[in-house]
Each structure stands twice: as structure tokens, then as C-alpha cells.
Amino acid sequence: DSGVTQTPKHLITATGQRVTLRCSPRSGDLSVYWYQQSLDQGLQFLIQYYNGEERAKGNILERFSAQQFPDLHSELNLSSLELGDSALYFCASSPHTDKSTEAFFGQGTRLTVV
Amino acid sequence: GQQVMQIPQYQHVQEGEDFTTYCNSSTTLSNIQWYKQRPGGHPVFLIQLVKSGEVKKQKRLTFQFGEAKKNSSLHITATQTTDVGTYFCATPNDYKLSFGAGTTVTVRA
């Protein structure tokens, strides 16, 4: 158990809909990352927050947005969903100190758009 | 930003044999991390290498960071079926943690 909690584990929704994925980081970790992993693909970086502020953005679509709340949990919002958005979405947290940047991943949310 | 390239993309190994997977960058890396993702699972942090020429071992896994800090390798000896999965290298760049494409390992019993 990494200590990172993601909900829901599975999500099936129709094209055009909007969903929210939730992530609770490990206790004490200030940094949260979101990654997308399509079938048999690598980990595509979407966005990163540090202590409530957006710090880095990857190739995240305009239809996608995220935020990190004061209690450090994060949400990834996906709207106007398309079939191609079907993927595993991982959240990871990190202490993100000078000496410790390793990421701890949640179990992921498997999104299926039909 | 910094990107890391991993080779090979796929590695089919006979049980009991050794193999090595490589992670290369065109720029100097501050550190390199390795993760393992089992089929159907999530990436799990294995190790972080920081120093030039650093070598670390975890049982049958040996991790090495190149002298120029531009490449890294993971060597597995006496491969077992439990080694099946995808091995990723990753490097932090500012606030982004960039992953290589991974080496997917299958094992023939």
C-alpha cells in the first residue's frame, strides 16, 4: 500500500460527459502528479501541484483541468469526454524535498468512455 | 525538458537468464529513479540514484548511474517469473517527473 488513495477505481461513462477523479496523497506529501496511461503505453505526464499551486503542466488537453485543495487532496476533471480518453489515470504524491523526489502512485482510476 | 529514452522496449527472457535494460539521456541528469509496474498494477518506486557512477543492489537487481550522469542501467540476474512487468526510469526536471517509455519484460518458464 503506497498510502495514496484514488477514487473511484473504475468509471464507465458516455461520450460528452464530465467526470471527476479524486486523489488523496500520502500523509505529509505536498506534491501531487497526475499521469495518463493508455493501453500498453507509457506514463504521460498531465499536471503537477505543489502545496496547492500548479507547478508544471504536460500535454494536458484543454478539456481537462485539475486542482489541489488546502487539505492537499487533488481532483482531475475531465470534460466533453471522447472515446480516446479511455485510459488509466494515476495520481502520485511525493515529499518533493531536495533529497527526496520519488513518487508514490495510487492504484489508478480506470476510465472507460463508451 | 529532459527526456529519457529506454531500450529495449520489450525483453523476452528465459527463466534463469540475466538481462539488462538501459535508460539514456542527452543531458546530464540530477538523479535517476527506477519504477516497476506489474501487469494490471501501478508503478512502484524501486530506487533512486544520485551520484556519478553510483551502483546499488537490491537482491538480484543491480542499478547503475553512469559516470557522466547521462545514462543508467538495470541488470537482473537469474530472472524469475516474479520479475514480469514494465520497468520505467524517471528523472525529475523542475517540478515534473518525466518517465521513459519503459521496458516490458516477459519470462519464459
Side-chain angles (χ1 to χ4, degrees):
Chain A
D1 183 12
S2 66
V4 178
T5 304
Q6 285 188 251
T7 56
K9 285 187 171 52
H10 301 276
L11 197 49
I12 301 175
T13 189
T15 54
Q17 295 298 306
R18 182 179 189 275
V19 297
T20 297
L21 312 184
R22 183 187 168 98
C23 170
S24 294
R26 290 192 325 157
S27 177
D29 284 357
L30 299 179
S31 188
V32 169
Y33 302 88
W34 286 97
Y35 290 88
Q36 179 193 57
Q37 187 175 45
S38 301
L39 191 63
D40 295 332
Q41 296 295 310
L43 293 157
Q44 301 301 315
F45 172 73
L46 295 177
I47 199 163
Q48 192 254 349
Y49 283 86
Y50 180 80
N51 202 19
E53 293 186 13
E54 180 188 306
R55 287 298 178 93
K57 226 171 183 177
N59 294 325
I60 186 168
L61 299 172
E62 286 191 9
R63 301 184 285 109
F64 295 1
S65 64
Q67 58 184 132
Q68 186 179 29
F69 295 87
D71 67 353
L72 300 179
H73 91 270
S74 179
E75 293 181 355
L76 178 66
N77 301 298
L78 314 176
S79 62
S80 302
L81 284 167
E82 302 174 359
L83 295 178
D85 297 327
S86 296
L88 257 176
Y89 290 85
F90 286 109
C91 165
S93 75
S94 172
H96 216 108
T97 65
D98 285 344
K99 294 183 179 180
S100 180
T101 59
E102 65 266 32
F104 298 88
F105 281 76
Q107 302 277 350
T109 294
R110 182 171 294 281
L111 173 66
T112 303
V113 182
V114 297
Chain B
Q2 289 178 335
Q3 290 191 348
V4 286
M5 308 298 290
Q6 281 189 257
I7 52 171
Q9 185 178 359
Y10 297 98
Q11 183 83 55
H12 308 290
V13 189
Q14 181 71 42
E15 190 174 17
E17 291 185 344
D18 302 353
F19 76 90
T20 303
T21 177
Y22 300 90
C23 181
N24 300 312
S25 172
S26 59
T27 59
T28 302
L29 305 172
S30 58
N31 69 61
I32 194 80
Q33 302 172 15
W34 286 90
Y35 293 77
K36 177 183 179 181
Q37 184 177 19
R38 294 181 186 275
H42 61 280
V44 175
F45 173 78
L46 294 177
I47 210 157
Q48 177 173 277
L49 304 172
V50 179
K51 298 176 183 176
S52 168
E54 189 171 12
V55 178
K56 288 187 177 180
K57 291 189 176 183
Q58 288 181 350
K59 298 182 180 178
R60 294 177 296 101
L61 276 61
T62 301
F63 303 85
Q64 187 164 3
F65 203 5
E67 293 291 339
K69 299 182 72 173
K70 289 185 176 181
N71 54 70
S72 180
S73 64
L74 161 58
H75 181 78
I76 299 183
T77 59
T79 304
Q80 299 178 359
T81 55
T82 53
D83 296 324
V84 164
T86 300
Y87 294 83
F88 294 99
C89 63
T91 187
N93 178 22
D94 294 329
Y95 288 91
K96 182 189 298 186
L97 185 60
S98 297
F99 283 78
T103 294
T104 298
V105 176
T106 55
V107 179
R108 298 190 300 273

